């Protein structure tokens, strides 16, 4: 019995022990569970915070997005719109309901429907570009990207869209297109050839250029500048092109030969300018080509004409020169022979003969003056054409000292004369001839000659005034013609004033006179400053 | 008084007569040689004992003209010392400049009247008759 009790006791003790153990395990497990629950709760709280954070972030994005954001149900009733959308459309759904159908521009309705179908079918559409009405009946251009919103069962419940106002962009685009059109009208209708190149490659040409060379636009864009250049000339333009591309020069102008499709050559003035990109690098070269064929022909013609004219003018002057000299010698011989007759036969000749000899001498004198006049006239554009600073006071002073002035005549310079550009020979001749005439053709008891000068903007105006015999109005032009003398006097050759006119012409000035017959004349002439 | 030997290079016969006629009015002793152009004159001056004291030279002559002759004369080591005077109708500036540049002793324009001519030649000849002249 005792043994049985003993066994039972022991069994009880084991059971107790086991129970104790189990309780302990249970306790441990409960503590673990508690820990787990706490962790879970923390995680959940964190998650919740995160969700609300994200939601509010998203909310913020929608509210602050520059573009308009609109949510609508599938019937088109607007459920939600951000401030940008309110501003764009002019509606506020908090105050009045809005259906998107009322926004669609009349002409764009078919397109809108088509896009809606696409939205339903594909779940989204992008780059819908159309016009909309605002509440204030304005028409605006918008670009819309939209997508469907689904519930948990994957059923579409709404649609959201981002609407961008492209009104300004479209307007600018239209302006740009218009300007482009205008520009291309100018380019296409220009009589000048215009070519756009990129590093030797032809990119774009206009009609005029195509016509000049005989290539089509399509042919030209497959070609290089080298293909239409004449071989030996390409290098000269290449050097300048390199300078242009390096930014050393902005543009250059050359005369260049082009090869035409028919094998001919076109000579044209070519002006090349660089076109830069925003970074300041040369992006294109634009060349303006002006056909010079006709111009060159004309130039050649003119040059030849000018050469011929110069040559015949030179010949004429040389001729006058040679003839004058050749005439001078025999005249000197005649003069001498007359003198010798007078000397050697002085005793033989009577009074009458000596008068005849005097008349002979006078005629010879006159002829000599004529020859000298022709010589001077021819010399005006024969002598050197260099110009110097010439002090006219000095010139006129020298003339007054040299020429014959009768006692009853006086010459005064009324104001200080300027220094002009010219040469001494011509200027001295100019003043001397006018002053001599003023002295020579004077019939008054007291001859008065006044030399004056007025400063004008571009030139000096000189005047030589006398109180002499005067010139009739009808001769005002004639007196400047060569060999036109109004006097049959011996010492009047009719060359003096023609020389004066030729010198004034030579310096690009003008000459004229005012005169009263019997009272005097004033000769005016101008010299450039 | 020394004899002044003069070479006149002149193609016009009456001009030569005129020159001689003037000399005859003067008291100086002279020896006048005439040449019708530059070539003839060159042959003359290259003969010994024929080198003149002074030369009067016209510019416009057939064959070798005055300036051509002058250039040859002034390039010759022996002849370049002979004073040469131009006697011409040309007052062409270019001619005058060229002559002075090559080397002349005077440039006389032939006046129209014989009386004026006589005066000029007398003065010039008189002047050279007073000068020290060199013969190499």
């Amino acid at each position: 019995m005792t043994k049985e009790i003993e066994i039972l006791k022991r069994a009880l003790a084991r059971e107790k022990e086991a129970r104790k153990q189990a309780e302990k395990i249970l306790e441990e497990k409960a503590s673990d569970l508690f820990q787990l629950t706490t962790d879970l709760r923390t995680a959940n709280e964190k998650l919740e915070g995160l969700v609300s954070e994200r939601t509010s972030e998203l909310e913020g994005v929608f509210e602050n997005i520059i573009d308009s954001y609109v949510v609508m149900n599938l019937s088109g009733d607007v459920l939600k719109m951000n401030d940008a959308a309110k501003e764009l459309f002019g509606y506020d759904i908090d105050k009045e309901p809005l259906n998107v159908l009322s926004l669609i521009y009349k002409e764009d309705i078919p397109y809108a429907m088509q896009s809606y179908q696409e939205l339903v079918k594909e779940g989204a559409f992008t780059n819908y570009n159309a016009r909309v009405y605002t509440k204030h009946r304005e028409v605006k251009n918008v670009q819309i990207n939209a997508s469907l919103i689904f519930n948990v069962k994957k059923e579409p419940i709404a649609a959201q869209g981002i609407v961008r106002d492209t009104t300004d962009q479209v307007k600018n685009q239209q302006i740009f297109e218009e300007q482009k059109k205008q520009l291309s009208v100018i380019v296409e209708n220009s009589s000048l050839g215009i070519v756009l190149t990129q590093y030797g490659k032809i990119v774009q040409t206009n009609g005029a250029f195509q016509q000049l060379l005989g290539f089509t636009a399509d042919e030209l864009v497959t070609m290089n500048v080298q293909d239409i250049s004449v071989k030996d000339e390409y290098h000269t333009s290449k050097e300048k092109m390199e300078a242009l591309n390096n930014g050393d020069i902005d543009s250059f102008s050359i005369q260049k030969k082009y090869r035409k499709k028919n094998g001919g050559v076109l000579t044209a003035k070519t002006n090349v300018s660089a076109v830069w990109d925003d970074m300041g690098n040369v992006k294109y070269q634009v060349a303006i080509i002006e056909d010079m064929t006709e111009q060159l022909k004309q130039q050649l013609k003119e040059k030849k004409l000018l050469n011929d004219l110069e040559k015949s003018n030179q010949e004429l002057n040389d001729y006058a020169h040679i003839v004058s000299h050749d005439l001078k010698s025999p005249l000197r011989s005649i003069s001498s022979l007359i003198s010798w007759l007078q000397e050697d036969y002085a005793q033989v000749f009577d009074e009458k003969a000596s008068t005849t000899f005097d008349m002979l001498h006078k005629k010879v004198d006159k002829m000599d003056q004529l020859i000298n006049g022709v010589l001077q006239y021819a010399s005006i554009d024969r002598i050197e054409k260099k110009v110097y600073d010439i002090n006219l006071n000095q010139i006129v002073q020298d003339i007054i000292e040299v020429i014959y002035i009768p006692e009853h005549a006086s010459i005064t310079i009324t104001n200080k004369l300027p220094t002009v550009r010219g040469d001494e020979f011509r200027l001295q001749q100019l003043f001397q001839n006018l002053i001599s005439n003023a002295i020579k053709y004077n019939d008054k008891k007291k001859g008065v000659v006044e030399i004056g000068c007025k400063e004008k903007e571009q030139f000096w105006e000189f005047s030589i005034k006398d109180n002499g015999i005067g010139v009739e109005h009808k001769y005002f032009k004639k007196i400047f013609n060569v060999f036109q003398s109004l006097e049959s006097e011996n010492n009047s050759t009719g060359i003096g004033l023609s020389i004066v006119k030729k010198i004034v012409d030579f310096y690009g000035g003008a000459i004229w006179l005012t005169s009263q017959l019997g009272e005097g004349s004033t000769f005016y002439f101008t010299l450039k400053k | 008084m020394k004899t002044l030997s003069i070479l006149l290079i002149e193609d016009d016969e009456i001009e030569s007569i005129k020159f001689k006629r003037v000399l005859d009015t003067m008291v100086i002793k002279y020896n006048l040689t005439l040449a019708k152009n530059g070539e003839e004159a060159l042959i003359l001056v290259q003969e010994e004992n024929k080198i003149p004291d002074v030369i009067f030279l016209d510019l416009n002559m057939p064959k070798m003209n005055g300036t051509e002759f002058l250039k040859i004369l002034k390039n010759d080591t022996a002849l370049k010392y002979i004073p040469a005077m131009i006697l011409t109708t040309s007052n062409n500036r270019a001619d005058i400049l060229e002559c002075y540049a090559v080397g002349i002793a005077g440039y006389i324009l032939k006046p129209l009247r014989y009386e004026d001519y006589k005066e000029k030649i007398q003065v010039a000849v008189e002047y050279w008759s007073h000068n020290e002249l060199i013969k190499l």
Side-chain angles (χ1 to χ4, degrees), chain A residues 138-157:
Chain A
E138 283 176 290
V139 176
K140 288 202 166 166
N141 291 88
V142 290
Q143 186 193 56
I144 303 172
N145 290 330
S147 60
L148 289 174
I149 300 170
F150 299 93
N151 65 7
V152 260
K153 291 175 190 164
K154 305 268 183 211
E155 290 164 349
I157 49 163

Side-chain angles (χ1 to χ4, degrees), chain A residues 321 325 328 331-333 335-337 339-340 343-344 361 364-365 368 382 384, chain B residues 12 14-15 17-18 21 60 89-93 110-115 118:
Chain A
H321 226 77
H325 276 297
K328 269 184 167 187
L331 203 62
R332 268 147 192 69
S333 297
S335 182
S336 297
L337 291 168
S339 296
W340 299 345
E343 267 182 28
D344 297 349
H361 271 304
V364 171
D365 280 351
D368 194 50
R382 229 174 100 100
E384 58 169 358
Chain B
D12 190 293
I14 295 171
E15 282 298 317
I17 296 170
K18 187 159 70 172
R21 193 178 166 113
N60 297 317
T89 54
S90 167
N91 61 349
N92 187 334
R93 194 178 151 84
K110 292 174 183 170
L112 176 68
R113 295 282 189 120
Y114 172 68
E115 285 304 314
K118 188 162 87 179

Side-chain angles (χ1 to χ4, degrees), chain B residues 42-116:
Chain B
L42 267 185
I43 297 166
L44 280 170
V45 291
Q46 271 154 5
E47 280 177 45
E48 266 185 66
N49 303 324
K50 280 271 178 92
I51 296 177
D53 292 320
V54 58
I55 295 172
F56 284 83
L57 173 65
D58 187 15
L59 283 184
N60 297 317
M61 287 178 297
K63 294 188 183 176
M64 188 189 291
N65 73 24
T67 30
E68 283 165 346
F69 170 79
L70 193 66
K71 279 176 193 162
I72 295 168
L73 191 79
K74 290 295 154 187
N75 275 322
D76 188 294
T77 46
L79 303 175
K80 67 180 175 187
Y81 300 102
I82 309 169
M85 304 190 74
I86 305 296
L87 191 55
T88 179
T89 54
S90 167
N91 61 349
N92 187 334
R93 194 178 151 84
D95 284 347
I96 301 173
L97 283 175
E98 192 186 6
C99 287
Y100 274 111
V102 176
I104 49 170
Y107 195 105
I108 298 172
L109 279 180
K110 292 174 183 170
L112 176 68
R113 295 282 189 120
Y114 172 68
E115 285 304 314
D116 301 333

